[in-house]
Amino acid sequence: DVKVTQSSRYLVKRTGEKVFLECVQDMDHENMFWYRQDPGLGLRLIYFSYDVKMKEKGDIPEGYSVSREKKERFSLILESASTNQTSMYLCASSFRTPNTEAFFGQGTRLTVV
Amino acid sequence: AQSVAQPEDQVNVAEGNPLTVKCTYSVSGNPYLFWYVQYPNRGLQFLLKYITGDNLVKGSYGFEAEFNKSQTSFHLKKPSALVSDSALYFCAVRESGGYQKVTFGTGTKLQVIP
C-alpha cells in the first residue's frame, strides 16, 4: 500500500513562529503537493514539486515556502505564522503520468493563536 | 485554465435510494477526471477515475461515475446508498500537459439518512 505520512495530526503554534510541516511518501512518486483545505473553498494548491529541488507555485503560495531535498520528502514552511493560516493542510504525491491518481496523507490541522 | 464545479454543497439521500453527486469541468485537451472521498479528520481517498474509453467508470465501494463529453460532466453515482457513504466528496481534473496540475472542486457533503 502507498503511504503518505505527515509528521503531525494536530499542531498549535503562536503568531510569528516559523512552522515546518513534513511529508514523506514511500512509492517513489515524482510529484508531491501541498494543499490547504478550508470549509467552502475546497482544496487549494499551495506548492507542488515535480522533482528533487524543483518547485512550482500553486494558487496560494503567499506566506509559504517549500523544500524538497530528497525525492521522498516534501516540507512546507510557514516563515512567520499568522492566524489566517489556521487550516487543514494536506500533502499528496503521484507519479508524473497524468492518468494516475494522487495519494494523500492524513492531514495536519494547524491552529495559529 | 482548468476548473471544476460541484454545484451542490450538500446532498441528502435516504438509505437504500440511488445517489448522484454532480461535477462539471473545464479543461483544454483530454480530461483526466477523478473522484475522491474524505471521511472526518482524514485525508482524501481515491474512488475512481476516467482516462479514456467506456463512459461509465466503476470504482471502489460500489461507486460509479458517468463521463459525458458534450455536457462536460462527470457525475458520481451509486445505485443504493449506505449510511457509511456519508462523507465529503471531491471531483478533480488533471491536465495532461505541463506540470499536470490537479484542480479540485469545492466538495459536496453527502448525508445518507437512515
Side-chain angles (χ1 to χ4, degrees):
Chain A
D1 270 0
V2 174
K3 273 201 173 172
V4 180
T5 303
Q6 295 183 228
S7 53
S8 304
R9 289 295 303 274
Y10 301 94
L11 273 179
V12 179
K13 296 292 182 181
R14 295 195 179 277
T15 301
E17 276 193 79
K18 191 169 186 176
V19 181
F20 293 86
L21 303 183
E22 307 284 345
C23 176
V24 177
Q25 52 96 1
D26 66 358
M27 275 300 292
D28 204 33
H29 286 162
E30 296 92 357
N31 293 348
M32 294 189 76
F33 309 85
W34 275 107
Y35 291 91
R36 171 176 170 160
Q37 182 180 11
D38 299 288
L41 298 177
L43 272 68
R44 293 180 291 168
L45 182 64
I46 304 172
Y47 269 97
F48 68 100
S49 169
Y50 53 92
D51 205 345
V52 175
K53 297 190 186 295
M54 305 305 289
K55 61 186 179 185
E56 288 292 326
K57 292 180 180 179
D59 300 316
I60 52 165
E62 297 79 17
Y64 304 93
S65 62
V66 290
S67 172
R68 193 168 180 199
E69 297 296 319
K70 293 184 178 181
K71 190 174 185 180
E72 68 270 19
R73 187 180 297 269
F74 192 36
S75 302
L76 179 70
I77 303 154
L78 287 66
E79 295 290 342
S80 178
S82 63
T83 55
N84 62 12
Q85 293 178 309
T86 292
S87 187
M88 170 72 94
Y89 290 87
L90 294 168
C91 175
S93 69
S94 74
F95 287 116
R96 191 169 290 159
T97 45
N99 62 358
T100 56
E101 61 271 23
F103 293 84
F104 283 80
Q106 76 276 30
T108 296
R109 186 166 293 281
L110 173 67
T111 302
V112 182
V113 297
Chain B
Q2 61 190 34
S3 64
V4 175
Q6 294 181 243
E8 302 153 317
D9 290 337
Q10 181 159 337
V11 169
N12 297 322
V13 63
E15 187 177 23
N17 282 4
L19 69 87
T20 299
V21 182
K22 296 179 180 177
C23 172
T24 58
Y25 67 91
S26 173
V27 65
S28 56
N30 294 324
Y32 298 109
L33 297 160
F34 303 83
W35 275 102
Y36 292 84
V37 61
Q38 185 181 35
Y39 298 101
N41 296 313
R42 304 290 297 275
L44 276 68
Q45 298 176 30
F46 168 73
L47 271 181
L48 51 79
K49 63 184 176 184
Y50 172 81
I51 304 303
T52 187
D54 195 348
N55 289 343
L56 187 63
V57 178
K58 293 189 184 297
S60 306
Y61 313 120
F63 283 93
E64 55 192 27
E66 187 170 11
F67 171 68
N68 187 316
K69 188 174 183 178
S70 63
Q71 297 185 5
T72 61
S73 67
F74 189 54
H75 299 332
L76 181 70
K77 301 184 179 187
K78 188 174 183 182
S80 178
L82 300 172
V83 172
S84 58
D85 293 330
S86 299
L88 190 56
Y89 290 82
F90 289 95
C91 182
V93 62
R94 186 171 181 180
E95 60 186 16
S96 57
Y99 296 117
Q100 301 155 21
K101 176 182 170 183
V102 180
T103 299
F104 286 83
T106 51
T108 299
K109 183 178 180 180
L110 174 66
Q111 191 77 32
V112 181
I113 303 161

